[in-house]
Amino acid sequence: DAGVIQSPRHEVTEMGQEVTLRCKPISGHDYLFWYRQTMMRGLELLIYFNNNVPIDDSGMPEDRFSAKMPNASFSTLKIQPSEPRDSAVYFCASSFDPKMNTEAFFGQGTRLTVV
Amino acid sequence: SQELEQSPQSLIVQEGKNLTINCTSSKTLYGLYWYKQKYGEGLIFLMMLQKGGEEKSHEKITAKLDEKKQQSSLHITASQPSHAGIYLCGADRGRNSNRDDKIIFGKGTRLHILP
């Protein structure tokens, strides 16, 4: 398996534009996590899915953020409209059930810059 | 509120020296993960600790879980330039919450190795 694949690796967009980040988890993993990393706040959990169903979205900062997982091999994180303060590195991770004490595997991240 | 506190926030060490990074939880630890992140890249899993007093090693990196203190320490012996990066501790929320499959992280410790 190629690991967790995220696209794009870098995204520069203008304030107000819609941004869509994509993630392909490792095949067979039934948990998918979206994180955001900034210098100030570190690595924050935004939302996670279990078997394609959103379980906890309490970390999603605002209604401008939405995430979907239409099938087991694909997830998107959308920001509409984007703002400069959304600039960060967004990571997707997948795993088996964390309660089974297995690690999460991370993608390389998408570095988002909103100007 | 931040549940995992890491110290120090950053560390500059002469090559060859030993160092220790700490991770303290505000809640009982059921499972603790250590990850390493090279600048601009994703997180790489180092090791996971589950039981109080458990100690694991990976090459020159040793981590220990002190469950009573709700703390883990990561120790690097004879540091090398390849050890440079950001070290993050993560915790399985375990049985602390109804939503018990989250993996949350500390803000990380930035390690610089001077040649």
Side-chain angles (χ1 to χ4, degrees):
Chain A
D1 202 314
V4 177
I5 300 173
Q6 290 187 246
S7 64
R9 287 294 308 275
H10 303 272
E11 177 80 40
V12 180
T13 189
E14 289 186 345
M15 177 178 172
Q17 296 298 307
E18 177 180 296
V19 175
T20 300
L21 311 180
R22 296 173 176 79
C23 175
K24 181 180 187 303
I26 291 174
S27 178
H29 282 181
D30 46 9
Y31 279 77
L32 184 141
F33 305 84
W34 281 103
Y35 291 89
R36 176 173 69 175
Q37 187 179 39
T38 61
M39 286 285 290
M40 290 297 294
R41 300 175 69 87
L43 194 64
E44 303 173 278
L45 177 64
L46 300 177
I47 184 172
Y48 75 95
F49 296 82
N50 175 214
N51 291 323
N52 314 337
V53 176
I55 302 300
D56 186 353
D57 64 356
S58 59
M60 297 284 261
E62 298 172 35
D63 291 344
R64 298 184 296 105
F65 286 69
S66 62
K68 294 182 180 180
M69 193 164 185
N71 57 64
S73 60
F74 185 64
S75 178
T76 59
L77 178 68
K78 186 177 293 186
I79 308 173
Q80 165 64 15
S82 58
E83 296 182 4
R85 60 193 168 123
D86 301 331
S87 298
V89 181
Y90 290 81
F91 287 102
C92 174
S94 72
S95 74
F96 294 113
D97 186 350
K99 293 191 295 293
M100 301 301 291
N101 292 320
T102 62
E103 71 270 27
F105 293 81
F106 282 76
Q108 291 294 293
T110 295
R111 182 173 296 276
L112 172 65
T113 303
V114 183
V115 298
Chain B
S1 62
Q2 183 70 21
E3 295 183 17
L4 291 176
E5 293 286 340
Q6 286 188 237
S7 63
Q9 292 184 8
S10 65
L11 192 56
I12 302 173
V13 175
Q14 196 75 38
E15 182 179 353
K17 296 293 186 183
N18 303 335
L19 63 104
T20 300
I21 297 169
N22 294 302
C23 175
T24 302
S25 173
S26 59
K27 297 177 186 285
T28 301
L29 288 169
Y30 290 102
L32 185 121
Y33 306 82
W34 282 101
Y35 283 81
K36 179 186 173 185
Q37 182 182 26
K38 285 191 176 291
Y39 298 107
E41 298 182 13
L43 280 69
I44 303 297
F45 173 77
L46 293 176
M47 60 192 85
M48 178 179 63
L49 305 166
Q50 296 174 242
K51 302 175 184 177
E54 184 176 12
E55 185 172 310
K56 287 187 177 179
S57 294
H58 173 71
E59 297 178 347
K60 292 187 178 181
I61 301 175
T62 300
K64 186 173 182 179
L65 178 62
D66 183 338
E67 202 168 81
K68 290 182 180 179
K69 292 185 178 179
Q70 300 179 174
Q71 188 176 57
S72 177
S73 58
L74 184 140
H75 186 77
I76 299 177
T77 304
S79 58
Q80 301 171 357
S82 61
H83 288 130
I86 303 171
Y87 289 81
L88 296 102
C89 64
D92 175 0
R93 287 285 297 277
R95 283 131 270 186
N96 292 317
S97 165
N98 290 332
R99 296 193 176 107
D100 58 0
D101 8 18
K102 284 183 181 181
I103 300 176
I104 61 169
F105 288 88
K107 286 189 176 181
T109 294
R110 293 176 176 270
L111 174 62
H112 303 273
I113 306 295
L114 298 177

